[in-house]
Amino acid sequence: MLPYLTTMLPSRHSAGAELALKRRSREGLCLRLMATTLIAALITIINPTPSKANMNLKLYAYNLLTWQEFQCFNWLIHYESRWNPKARNGSHYGLGQMRSTWYRDLSPQGQIKASIKYIRHRYDDSCKALQHFETKGWH
């Protein structure tokens, strides 16, 4: 038995000593698991692979929209840029393929916010924008 754990126990011969040792052991395991999870999250943030970066952008967009709106928004952004914030098609840039260098210079999260703002201003929600896109071929 580890010496620092035995000093925290009421007594070596008490009935609760073994339970206290198991609880402390479980708490240590939980702390190690939390630390490992935190390190993995930091590594993902510091050095994301493209698929993880896209997933983080989708999660960011999902948190700004309802589930139904997110599904429509996801379809539109996937069609426009494949969730690539550096996508370019002629004079159109970014996730939402807007025609502005200001939009191009935004962070990916800023591009998502600007795209949502544009869609809400013009169509009320992303599902109406998707419906417009399906009938007209543009939005």
Side-chain angles (χ1 to χ4, degrees):
M1 203 173 331
L2 300 172
Y4 67 92
L5 288 176
T6 57
T7 59
M8 297 178 178
L9 298 177
S11 166
R12 290 189 129 207
H13 302 291
S14 71
E18 190 173 331
L19 290 174
L21 181 62
K22 286 181 181 179
R23 185 180 65 240
R24 297 231 187 266
S25 177
R26 219 177 11 246
E27 289 170 356
L29 180 63
C30 286
L31 287 174
R32 285 192 301 272
L33 182 60
M34 287 173 27
T36 304
T37 304
L38 180 62
I39 290 168
L42 287 173
I43 289 171
T44 301
I45 291 169
I46 292 168
N47 188 18
T49 61
S51 62
K52 288 182 182 175
N54 290 348
M55 205 52 141
N56 289 338
L57 291 176
K58 288 180 183 180
L59 183 60
Y60 180 78
Y62 171 73
N63 284 312
L64 298 174
L65 302 166
T66 65
W67 172 245
Q68 186 174 359
E69 259 194 290
F70 171 73
Q71 289 178 319
C72 298
F73 184 77
N74 182 33
W75 194 95
L76 286 168
I77 297 299
H78 179 78
Y79 179 82
E80 293 288 349
S81 65
R82 303 292 193 260
W83 285 93
N84 179 6
K86 296 182 190 257
R88 182 171 182 197
N89 183 11
S91 61
H92 294 78
Y93 306 99
L95 293 170
Q97 290 294 289
M98 291 192 185
R99 191 176 181 180
S100 168
T101 55
W102 167 83
Y103 181 81
R104 176 194 65 195
D105 297 335
L106 288 174
S107 69
Q109 291 82 4
Q111 289 181 17
I112 289 170
K113 281 185 176 179
S115 297
I116 291 171
K117 185 177 179 180
Y118 167 77
I119 287 170
R120 285 192 175 150
H121 175 74
R122 186 168 172 120
Y123 303 101
D124 292 328
D125 68 44
S126 56
C127 290
K128 288 180 183 174
L130 179 59
Q131 184 180 12
H132 182 271
F133 176 80
E134 288 172 341
T135 56
K136 304 280 187 182
W138 57 274
H139 73 96

